[in-house]
Amino acid sequence: MTVRDAATHPIVNAMSVDVEDYYQVSAFAGSVDRARWDGFPSRVGDNTRRVLDLFAGAGVRATFFTLGCVARRDPSLVRAIADAGHEVASHGWEHRRVGEQTPAEFSADVTRTRKLLEDQSGQAVTGYRAASFSIDRGTWWAFDELAEAGYRYSSSIHPIRHDHYGVPDAPRFPFAPAAGRDLAEIPVGTVDLRGRRLSCAGGGFFRLLPYRWSSHAIGRVNRTEGRPVTFYFHPWEIDPGQPRISPAPLRSRLRHYTNLSVMEAKLKRLLADFRWDRIDHVYRTVLSPDSRLPRAAAE
């Protein structure tokens, strides 16, 4: 897709950022104890501000799923996100996978995070994304807890097969995950190629694979299905100079560090080649009280 195509294409895709630092990722959970987090030099503030500049240059607004512990450490960051016209949303307090928590612990976590982000941003926080897309069939109860905590939507499911996450048989587009609840799940992007689902959602897939794959896949969903794609990345992905975590498994290091030096240039191209907006704007109709979403329950 070219810039000219993007200017005339009617589909507006949803851009999102998971605001977490390089040492807080799940890939290094076995190497970095949370008790040591405060001892690492933080780079998430500067990197997120670089992302804000990147979006400002492209005229793009996005949704920033922000960790509560990051917001507590740098309150001015959340204000900067909100002041720039972006949506502030919750990524939980300290990047714990849902399955590591009881329902009561999860409820306390998402309630605490939402209150802090609302206090700092001055805007209602209605969106949530689970750490590492960790809502699955075994943690479907989290949707009820999110609704009780006042969230309007989740973007916590990557409907593919993956070794760390995924609900491969979940709907690819927004659905109602909990009966009688005013809550929508907005999965991140996938493309269906002859019955095989492949990710076009961003993150490591975007960084590791050639740009033409993501461009083709997002364009295909827009053109052939008439649907937006929900895309995501992390501020640490545009920071090739970040400290290296050691020791750490080889697979984790390969996934985390490969192509950091080319990520920013690829993002600039993506922002120019497609149309983007924040999740709550792209899915405004889906999130309206009168929407009739398809139902999908835990099975």
Side-chain angles (χ1 to χ4, degrees), residues 77-133:
L77 181 61
V78 173
R79 290 194 295 271
I81 293 168
D83 289 348
H86 302 288
E87 180 188 13
V88 175
S90 169
H91 201 29
W93 190 261
E94 55 180 4
H95 213 256
R96 289 190 182 276
R97 295 176 67 91
V98 177
E100 297 173 356
Q101 305 171 76
T102 67
E105 290 169 339
F106 177 78
S107 176
D109 181 287
V110 298
T111 299
R112 177 190 187 191
T113 306
R114 181 172 183 246
K115 183 180 186 306
L116 177 66
L117 295 176
E118 288 186 335
D119 289 345
Q120 291 183 351
S121 68
Q123 62 177 241
V125 170
T126 61
Y128 169 81
R129 175 169 290 156
S132 301
F133 303 105

Side-chain angles (χ1 to χ4, degrees), residues 206-228:
F206 180 73
R207 186 163 35 85
L208 297 171
L209 298 175
Y211 176 80
R212 63 181 177 272
W213 159 252
S214 294
S215 177
H216 167 75
I218 294 170
R220 180 184 176 94
V221 175
N222 288 172
R223 290 190 304 270
T224 65
E225 300 185 83
R227 296 276 202 153

Side-chain angles (χ1 to χ4, degrees), residues 157-180:
I157 286 182
H158 202 156
I160 60 169
R161 194 174 303 280
H162 190 275
D163 59 342
H164 283 301
Y165 54 72
V167 185
D169 59 343
R172 293 174 51 229
F173 301 113
F175 64 92

Side-chain angles (χ1 to χ4, degrees), residues 19 25 27 49 64 107 114-115 188 206 229 235 261 274 279 297:
V19 182
V25 301
R49 289 176 174 88
F64 286 72
S107 176
R114 181 172 183 246
K115 183 180 186 306
V188 294
F206 180 73
V229 166
S261 62
F274 294 89
I279 288 177

Side-chain angles (χ1 to χ4, degrees), residues 41-61:
S42 179
R43 298 171 74 92
V44 67
D46 289 344
N47 288 334
T48 303
R49 289 176 174 88
R50 284 178 58 198
V51 171
L52 290 173
D53 290 342
L54 187 67
F55 287 161
V60 167
R61 291 183 178 176

Side-chain angles (χ1 to χ4, degrees), residues 66-280:
T66 307
L67 288 180
C69 63
V70 169
R72 182 182 61 179
R73 188 170 184 175
D74 186 359
S76 67
L77 181 61
V78 173
R79 290 194 295 271
I81 293 168
D83 289 348
H86 302 288
E87 180 188 13
V88 175
S90 169
H91 201 29
W93 190 261
E94 55 180 4
H95 213 256
R96 289 190 182 276
R97 295 176 67 91
V98 177
E100 297 173 356
Q101 305 171 76
T102 67
E105 290 169 339
F106 177 78
S107 176
D109 181 287
V110 298
T111 299
R112 177 190 187 191
T113 306
R114 181 172 183 246
K115 183 180 186 306
L116 177 66
L117 295 176
E118 288 186 335
D119 289 345
Q120 291 183 351
S121 68
Q123 62 177 241
V125 170
T126 61
Y128 169 81
R129 175 169 290 156
S132 301
F133 303 105
S134 54
I135 295 181
D136 56 24
R137 296 298 186 192
T139 56
W140 211 260
W141 50 259
F143 290 120
D144 284 318
E145 300 299 334
L146 287 171
E148 283 291 328
Y151 289 89
R152 181 64 189 87
Y153 76 87
S154 161
S155 183
S156 300
I157 286 182
H158 202 156
I160 60 169
R161 194 174 303 280
H162 190 275
D163 59 342
H164 283 301
Y165 54 72
V167 185
D169 59 343
R172 293 174 51 229
F173 301 113
F175 64 92
R181 297 291 195 177
D182 189 22
L183 183 83
E185 168 59 32
I186 300 174
V188 294
T190 57
V191 63
D192 189 314
L193 296 180
R194 298 180 180 178
R196 184 183 181 190
R197 290 185 182 184
L198 299 173
S199 177
C200 57
F205 293 98
F206 180 73
R207 186 163 35 85
L208 297 171
L209 298 175
Y211 176 80
R212 63 181 177 272
W213 159 252
S214 294
S215 177
H216 167 75
I218 294 170
R220 180 184 176 94
V221 175
N222 288 172
R223 290 190 304 270
T224 65
E225 300 185 83
R227 296 276 202 153
V229 166
T230 300
F231 188 92
Y232 80 100
F233 68 99
H234 309 86
W236 56 260
E237 291 185 275
I238 62 168
D239 181 15
Q242 65 190 262
R244 268 34 182 181
I245 301 297
S246 180
L250 176 61
R251 175 179 288 190
S252 296
R253 286 185 278 122
L254 289 173
R255 283 178 170 174
H256 189 91
Y257 297 122
T258 301
N259 286 346
L260 293 179
S261 62
V262 302
M263 182 66 169
E264 187 166 357
K266 291 176 76 172
L267 280 170
K268 288 179 179 178
R269 187 174 177 185
L270 187 78
L271 295 176
D273 283 355
F274 294 89
R275 300 176 66 196
W276 303 96
D277 204 346
R278 37 195 276 179
I279 288 177
D280 61 340

